[in-house]
Amino acid sequence: MKNKLIQFEDLGQFQDYQKIWDMQEEKLQQIVDIKKQIRDWERRLEEEPELQTEIDNQQTPNFLYFVEHPHVYTLGKSGDEANMLANEKMLDEINATYVKTNRGGDITYHGPKQLVAYPILDLANFKEDINWYMRSMEEVIIKTIAHYGLKGERSKGETGVWLDVGTPFARKICAMGVKASRWVTMHGLALNVNTDLRYFDYIVPCGIKDKNVTSLQRELDRDIDMDEVKDLVLKYFAEVYEADIKSASQVPQ
């Protein structure tokens, strides 16, 4: 039985990247273990038909977390370390850390006033198609920034959400990178809201040398209400993924 319920939690500001990564791994493993149990029951079904009830009643959970990290640069498993331009001394000077991750994509920056979203979904509950999953995440952000009068676009071969694609002024406003194991996702997206864009000067963002990054704040020339952005992302996440999103505190454990 497909479970379209997503348990949501806002983890707040200044959350250590490694700590949240570890939490994601735990949630992913929780879902994978349930899927393994269901498969085990299915293998034994012919000899133990009473297990059909267990199979019918078992569901895998889905999770969605919002967070803001301290200054941190993260490199994807296929990324090029040469795209990190800062050495250890420079990182200390700007109060930033550097972490190699197991997500896809190249190097990016996370920091205060940037909305990071980590969906940990069993795609068997939605659609077992990574391309669909990624394009759907892009659609969530395209709809979100449209609320502010900005036309978000996809750039062929370059994951994320962009402005003015196909012009010399193309710039990325939202980066994305994920990992999936047994159709369970982790990592996610980073939307620049009121982000200090100077931190991108220390990397080649996403390994793309000829395009800039931007933020809602820069595009609109004003500070943006982060809570409003979060509400919009939740609204469109539920709409695009046809999901029911509820606070984790409202979901029986």
Side-chain angles (χ1 to χ4, degrees), residues 136-145 233 236-237 240-241:
S136 295
M137 272 209 298
E138 290 167 349
E139 188 65 20
V140 170
I141 300 305
I142 288 170
K143 287 177 175 289
T144 296
I145 68 175
V233 172
Y236 292 122
F237 203 96
V240 171
Y241 286 95

Side-chain angles (χ1 to χ4, degrees), residues 17 69-74 95-99 108-111 199:
Y17 183 84
H69 291 298
H71 304 297
V72 58
Y73 297 100
T74 68
N95 196 30
T97 56
Y98 174 46
V99 179
T108 195
Y109 161 78
H110 297 314
Y199 276 81

Side-chain angles (χ1 to χ4, degrees), residues 153 163-171 210-211:
E153 299 177 277
L163 304 178
D164 289 335
V165 171
T167 78
F169 309 105
R171 54 210 181 277
D210 58 345
K211 294 178 182 175

Side-chain angles (χ1 to χ4, degrees), residues 25-41:
E25 294 279 11
E26 290 174 4
K27 294 296 185 181
L28 181 146
Q29 191 60 51
Q30 175 187 338
I31 298 171
V32 167
D33 286 347
I34 294 172
K35 297 182 77 163
K36 287 179 179 178
Q37 178 65 76
I38 293 172
R39 278 195 295 274
D40 179 60
W41 287 337

Side-chain angles (χ1 to χ4, degrees), residues 38 41 49-59:
I38 293 172
W41 287 337
E50 67 275 11
L51 289 175
Q52 186 63 57
T53 300
E54 297 289 346
I55 295 170
D56 291 342
N57 291 334
Q58 185 63 272
Q59 291 182 326

Side-chain angles (χ1 to χ4, degrees), residues 121-232:
L121 310 182
D122 180 4
L123 293 185
N125 289 324
F126 299 91
K127 185 176 182 179
E128 291 180 332
D129 184 329
I130 294 296
N131 182 64
W132 168 85
Y133 172 66
M134 298 296 292
R135 304 294 79 77
S136 295
M137 272 209 298
E138 290 167 349
E139 188 65 20
V140 170
I141 300 305
I142 288 170
K143 287 177 175 289
T144 296
I145 68 175
H147 175 85
Y148 298 96
L150 298 176
K151 183 183 179 183
E153 299 177 277
R154 298 175 179 87
S155 181
K156 187 175 181 180
E158 297 171 331
T159 301
V161 177
W162 300 76
L163 304 178
D164 289 335
V165 171
T167 78
F169 309 105
R171 54 210 181 277
K172 179 179 275 192
I173 196 166
C174 182
M176 297 180 181
V178 305
K179 173 194 172 185
S181 176
R182 297 179 185 268
W183 295 112
V184 182
T185 69
M186 63 179 289
H187 298 295
L189 64 86
L191 174 62
N192 295 325
V193 182
N194 299 310
T195 314
D196 185 346
L197 298 177
R198 292 175 297 179
Y199 276 81
F200 286 97
D201 294 341
Y202 296 91
I203 60 173
V204 179
C206 303
I208 302 170
K209 297 181 179 180
D210 58 345
K211 294 178 182 175
N212 293 320
V213 295
T214 190
S215 66
L216 286 172
Q217 181 188 52
R218 172 172 285 182
E219 295 300 320
L220 302 174
D221 197 27
R222 61 181 173 86
D223 283 349
I224 308 301
D225 185 333
M226 180 67 87
D227 288 335
E228 180 182 64
V229 175
K230 290 177 179 178
D231 288 344
L232 289 167

